[in-house]
Amino acid sequence: MYFPETHYPSFPFRYMSHAAQPVYPFRQQFPSLDVSTLQISVKRFRELIAQANILLNSLENRQFAQQIMASAQKGDDPAVQRLVRSIGVRVPVTTRFTPTGVFFNLRINPLHEENCCSLSVGLRWGE
C-alpha cells in the first residue's frame, strides 16, 4: 500500500509512557543469614578501641609523647615499639612515622582464630 509523503497511517495502538516490566515467576532465594562472625568482629573491634584508648591516653602525657617523637625522629623503630608495649597495649601495633605525623595500626593477634579486624590511628605532630 502506498501513502503519499504527507499522510501516514495512524499508530495502531496507544503510545505507552513507560516500558513494560518483566514479570518473574519466582523470587531469588538467598541463604539464611548468620551474623555470628559479624558479632565476633564487633566484640574484637571493641577490644581494639580499648587498646587504642590506652595508647591515646598515654600520648597525652607530655613526657611519653616526647620519648615517642624523639625515638621516631632518630628512626629507632624498636624503641618506639618498646615504648608502646611499656604502656600496657596488649595487641600487635605497627607504627609508621613521617616528619608530620605518626600512624598506629592496631590489630587482633594474627594467630588468633578470629583475625577479623584492625584499627588505624593517624595523628599529626608537625607542620
Side-chain angles (χ1 to χ4, degrees), residues 60-80:
E60 284 182 322
N61 178 307
R62 187 174 190 82
Q63 183 181 1
F64 182 76
Q66 286 174 338
Q67 290 174 334
I68 290 274
M69 287 181 73
S71 297
Q73 284 178 346
K74 294 176 192 169
D76 192 356
D77 193 45
V80 173

Side-chain angles (χ1 to χ4, degrees), residues 18-93:
H18 63 281
Q21 298 295 321
V23 176
Y24 296 104
F26 61 91
R27 292 182 148 237
Q28 184 176 359
Q29 297 297 315
F30 294 102
S32 61
L33 298 175
D34 180 11
V35 296
S36 59
T37 301
L38 176 62
Q39 289 174 327
I40 290 169
S41 295
V42 169
K43 182 179 178 182
R44 297 289 183 243
F45 195 76
R46 287 184 192 275
E47 293 172 18
L48 290 178
I49 291 172
Q51 295 298 300
N53 202 23
I54 292 170
L55 178 62
L56 293 173
N57 287 339
S58 296
L59 287 169
E60 284 182 322
N61 178 307
R62 187 174 190 82
Q63 183 181 1
F64 182 76
Q66 286 174 338
Q67 290 174 334
I68 290 274
M69 287 181 73
S71 297
Q73 284 178 346
K74 294 176 192 169
D76 192 356
D77 193 45
V80 173
Q81 292 300 321
R82 272 193 310 277
L83 287 165
V84 170
R85 282 193 306 271
S86 75
I87 59 174
V89 174
R90 297 183 319 265
V91 297
V93 179

Side-chain angles (χ1 to χ4, degrees), residues 48 90-92 107-117:
L48 290 178
R90 297 183 319 265
V91 297
R107 62 193 180 289
I108 294 297
N109 188 340
L111 301 177
H112 199 273
E113 192 173 302
E114 294 98 16
N115 186 10
C116 63
C117 41

